[in-house]
Amino acid sequence: MAATEIISAFSYACDTISAKLSRGERVLLQDVSFSLSSGERLAVIGETGSGKTMLALSILGLLPANVRMQGGCIQMDGTALPTGKQLQTLRGDKLVYIPQNGAEFLLPARTVRKQLYDSLKKLSLPQKEFPQLAAEKLRLAGFDRPEDVLDKYSFQLSGGMAQRVTIALAACSRARLLIADEPTNGLDEAGRAQFFALLDSIFPDAAKLIITHDISVAARCDRVLVLCGGQMLETGTSAAVLSAPRHPYTKALLAAQVANGMQPSPILREGVSGCPFYARCPEADAGCLNGAMQKHTVGMSEWWCCHA
Ligand code: SF4
């Protein structure tokens, strides 16, 4: 019997993303690939400048004008994502973004009601149902009394309320992929737990890409992908990668988290290596200057390093 092909809810493969600068071309992301099943959560972690945001923007089709993706393929339910206007129609419907700062993301001149109605229009539902649906989406996002929020502007909402309004807006969709960028910034442990409970109850079948620098958030995900200098250095189940990191960068990242919040450390070593962590790696040696990065696999972890 022929093996049945399992189609991922979402898959991403990118050869390069590069920026055209006045002093030449700069590679921002290289050889990154992963796939997600329905309902699965993948945390993308890495310090500032590691390529997390470029990865998200490339999926959303929102790369800056001087940045382009070359090679690779992005698929949703086995079909390549379209580009241009067709991709625009998917954003806010099948492809949903939850921003870092809800208050900044909401349109200041439109009430919550109007923004919810704008999102509902994308679903081509009868307009007479909008009042009931808007209230329903706010209830789903944790507002017991939607009528208290519907006619408010973003500046009249607290940070936590604004974040829940963005979740209500996201709920006006048929999301297959959710991208949440540092979604729990500024929330305490209870707030983080509530955020993930909401995601799972509102979008049980959507694949979820969670961009974060917070290891406690990564630990709530099924799998982790570690980016450094635009390269994928380690990936695996959260349990495996976070409890027993294999790559020197992941080890440093986890160790540095409390100390410096994953800000880049000063450069320690000079030289040109294919490894983006070479300048700061405590395990580097001369072999790293010449050797190619190889893939290693142990249990539920994979990592790329020129040493075993
Ligand atoms: S390739 Fe060398 S520099 Fe890079 S992580 Fe491995 S040991 Fe460190």
Side-chain angles (χ1 to χ4, degrees), residues 141-152:
F143 291 100
D144 294 336
R145 291 172 50 86
E147 61 277 15
D148 291 349
V149 188
L150 275 164
D151 293 311
K152 287 206 157 60

Side-chain angles (χ1 to χ4, degrees), residues 255-274:
Q257 224 240 332
V258 177
N260 68 7
M262 285 194 194
Q263 294 309 305
S265 322
I267 289 178
L268 306 173
R269 186 183 303 106
E270 297 202 349
V272 180
S273 162

Side-chain angles (χ1 to χ4, degrees), residues 51-231:
K52 306 188 298 288
T53 301
M54 282 300 147
L55 169 61
L57 293 179
S58 66
I59 297 169
L60 293 162
L62 295 175
L63 287 172
N66 66 329
V67 177
R68 64 187 176 141
M69 177 172 167
Q70 284 176 300
C73 184
I74 307 176
Q75 292 190 336
M76 190 179 274
D77 293 322
T79 304
L81 277 190
T83 53
K85 281 221 158 98
Q86 278 179 299
L87 180 58
Q88 207 175 318
T89 62
L90 284 188
R91 285 200 298 267
D93 184 5
K94 299 277 177 70
L95 194 54
V96 171
Y97 177 70
I98 296 181
Q100 179 174 157
N101 186 328
E104 280 177 14
F105 180 78
L106 295 172
L107 300 172
R110 289 183 80 69
T111 61
V112 169
R113 180 193 301 276
K114 285 188 175 153
Q115 292 184 65
L116 283 164
Y117 285 11
D118 290 344
S119 296
L120 288 167
K121 269 184 206 149
K122 281 206 152 195
L123 302 181
S124 311
L125 296 166
Q127 212 155 335
K128 63 176 191 303
E129 292 180 14
F130 284 9
Q132 184 202 331
L133 285 169
E136 211 172 89
K137 302 301 176 191
L138 286 170
R139 265 192 217 98
L140 280 176
F143 291 100
D144 294 336
R145 291 172 50 86
E147 61 277 15
D148 291 349
V149 188
L150 275 164
D151 293 311
K152 287 206 157 60
Y153 293 90
S154 56
F155 66 87
Q156 296 172 305
L157 304 172
S158 70
M161 288 166 84
Q163 186 63 318
R164 277 188 287 142
V165 170
T166 63
I167 294 173
L169 287 170
C172 304
S173 73
R174 295 168 285 207
R176 293 295 295 140
L177 176 72
L178 271 176
I179 302 177
D181 185 1
E182 304 283 9
T184 56
N185 250 7
L187 299 183
D188 58 15
E189 185 53 29
R192 286 196 285 269
Q194 188 192 27
F195 173 81
F196 280 105
L198 279 177
L199 275 200
D200 284 344
S201 67
I202 302 175
F203 311 100
D205 298 325
K208 299 167 188 84
L209 191 66
I210 312 289
I211 293 171
T212 185
H213 68 278
D214 185 335
I215 299 304
S216 73
V217 169
R220 292 177 183 276
C221 295
D222 303 294
R223 288 189 295 127
V224 172
L225 186 155
V226 183
L227 279 182
C228 171
Q231 292 186 42

Side-chain angles (χ1 to χ4, degrees), residues 243-263:
S243 65
R246 304 283 178 166
H247 196 283
Y249 177 70
T250 316
K251 291 179 196 170
L253 196 60
L254 299 187
Q257 224 240 332
V258 177
N260 68 7
M262 285 194 194
Q263 294 309 305

Side-chain angles (χ1 to χ4, degrees), residues 233 247-249 269 273 275-279 281-285 287-288 293 304-307:
L233 292 188
H247 196 283
Y249 177 70
R269 186 183 303 106
S273 162
C275 174
F277 191 45
Y278 174 73
C281 179
E283 298 176 32
D285 61 24
C288 304
M293 305 270 279
W304 288 260
C305 176
C306 51
H307 301 326

